Amino acid sequence: LAADAPANALALATIGVEHTLESRFGLYQAQGMVSIQLGVPLTEAMARLRAHTYAHDRTLGAEARDIVTRTLSLQADNR
Amino acid sequence: MSTLAAERVAEMFVEFADTLVVEFDLVEFLQMVTTRASELVGSAAAGLLLADPQGQLQFMAASDERTELLELFQVQSHEGPCQDCFRRAAPVVNADLRDAADRWPQFAPRAVAAGFRSVHAFPMRLRQDVIGALNLFGTDVGRMETGDVRTVQALADVATIGLLQERTVRKGEVLTEQLQGALNSRIIVEQAKGAIAQMRSCNVDEAFTLLRGYCRDHNLRLSDVARAVVTDPRPIPGLTAA
């Protein structure tokens, strides 16, 4: 199984990441990342993540996923 | 799967008892239970889900924490063997995933795509309540024997005892508070994974490996270190700083 890990991950990705997989964990991981990106406490990091999501008319799950996969960083917004 | 070696089972329960008498880390303890459960029946992966105060199942610990496996556990807050096991307060054993697309349209195809063929779920029982489920995945359709079913159920019960033990030590919390507290300690670990990934420029799975390695090397509890990572801005040499 371990040797197949990257292929498995890809297979899961192609099945589609729908609402059910808008995992709470992705959100918490993104919160931790944003906290470091902006140098702010966790509560503020979540507020900033929500604000960015709202401002760009997205869902929190999609936003969190982009943060965790490094497609998106809130660091630039801070400058 | 063969009937379990009695000696190995005895060793395992001694190990659990040893852990439960000293101050222990709940997330690590539950990871140990899932790892032993997985080894015992030769399954590829095992995980544990707990009911939150709203009665929704949430992922708590696993023998293997790769992101795609976490998703396979998390999807069961909606449907899947753990959900069925939790609702019926009874084990779900020997489910063949290739025949389960009707039963679990979201869960089964994902589990098959992840390389699994069979799945089992055992209730975490507390008196009249079910508070969560222990989930096992196999890569073949080998059937679990009756004796093995009983032993794995005992492991699920040990996980329940560990959970209550750790939380009772903290104060006379009611059950829902205990469960929420357990889930919160898991959330802090996820936040710390994100923070470490950002600081060390790695992915969250690698961040978790770093976190666990650091705890082992320094003989520290996972929850304590995770909490320090997300609340204390001072760098931790060897973990958040190179």
Side-chain angles (χ1 to χ4, degrees):
Chain A
L1 181 74
D4 292 339
N8 289 341
L10 192 64
L12 277 174
T14 52
I15 287 172
V17 183
E18 300 118 25
H19 63 283
T20 46
L21 283 195
E22 305 247 317
S23 121
R24 303 177 328 133
F25 278 12
L27 188 58
Y28 298 130
Q29 291 163 358
Q31 185 185 12
M33 290 180 77
V34 170
S35 161
I36 301 303
Q37 286 171 7
L38 303 181
V40 298
L42 285 171
T43 43
E44 190 180 335
M46 186 58 89
R48 296 285 285 273
L49 191 56
R50 285 185 193 282
H52 190 273
T53 301
Y54 181 76
H56 294 80
D57 198 20
R58 303 190 69 208
T59 67
L60 203 51
E63 193 88 347
R65 203 159 46 237
D66 286 355
I67 296 273
V68 172
T69 57
R70 290 197 159 74
T71 316
L72 171 69
S73 167
L74 297 196
Q75 212 147 17
D77 283 18
N78 204 30
R79 290 188 190 127
Chain B
M1 269 172 261
S2 64
T3 302
L4 312 166
E7 203 172 309
R8 180 71 197 104
V9 174
E11 273 172 21
M12 214 170 50
F13 280 92
V14 169
E15 185 186 13
F16 295 147
D18 271 351
T19 309
L20 289 172
V21 292
V22 294
E23 199 180 336
F24 66 101
D25 184 88
L26 184 61
V27 175
E28 280 178 83
F29 174 73
L30 295 176
Q31 278 171 348
M32 180 174 85
V33 174
T34 55
T35 303
R36 294 293 171 269
S38 163
E39 290 166 358
L40 200 63
V41 297
S43 74
L48 217 143
L49 290 95
L50 279 189
D52 68 16
Q54 288 73 44
Q56 195 171 24
L57 287 179
Q58 305 289 356
F59 170 75
M60 183 64 202
S63 61
D64 179 338
E65 302 226 345
R66 278 176 292 128
T67 299
E68 68 265 30
L69 279 170
L70 294 193
E71 289 175 342
L72 213 44
F73 294 120
Q74 194 62 44
V75 72
Q76 295 184 78
S77 63
H78 301 273
E79 62 155 57
C82 284
Q83 190 64 240
D84 291 0
C85 161
F86 179 66
R87 301 263 168 253
R88 292 177 204 157
V92 172
V93 289
N94 300 319
D96 185 341
L97 286 162
R98 291 193 193 167
D99 298 333
D102 289 344
R103 191 174 175 190
W104 303 312
Q106 301 276 322
F107 168 79
R110 282 194 176 88
V112 169
F116 298 118
R117 188 69 207 275
S118 60
V119 67
H120 319 274
F122 294 83
M124 288 175 69
R125 304 169 301 194
L126 179 68
R127 293 183 285 273
Q128 306 306 316
D129 296 324
V130 179
I131 62 168
L134 173 65
N135 200 190
L136 295 171
F137 287 95
T139 50
D140 58 38
V141 282
R143 296 189 67 76
M144 197 184 281
E145 292 169 28
T146 315
D148 295 1
V149 169
R150 228 176 276 138
T151 307
V152 177
Q153 180 61 58
L155 287 182
D157 296 340
V158 164
T160 308
I161 292 165
L163 186 98
L164 297 175
Q165 171 99 350
E166 197 260 2
R167 304 300 306 175
T168 310
V169 168
R170 302 211 171 180
K171 58 197 145 248
E173 293 171 313
V174 300
L175 181 61
T176 52
E177 286 170 343
Q178 295 191 342
L179 294 176
Q180 187 60 62
L183 288 166
N184 287 348
S185 59
R186 179 72 232 192
I187 286 168
I188 294 166
V189 171
E190 294 309 311
Q191 291 164 332
K193 275 158 75 169
I196 293 165
Q198 183 67 37
M199 287 187 272
R200 299 292 298 269
S201 301
C202 60
N203 68 38
V204 287
D205 292 354
E206 290 160 352
F208 187 58
T209 305
L210 287 172
L211 178 60
R212 286 188 89 172
Y214 180 87
C215 292
R216 278 179 190 157
D217 291 350
H218 297 81
N219 200 21
L220 294 166
R221 303 194 325 156
L222 188 65
S223 313
D224 294 342
V225 176
R227 187 169 288 105
V229 167
V230 294
T231 57
D232 190 341
R234 286 172 299 180
I236 303 171
L239 181 59
T240 60

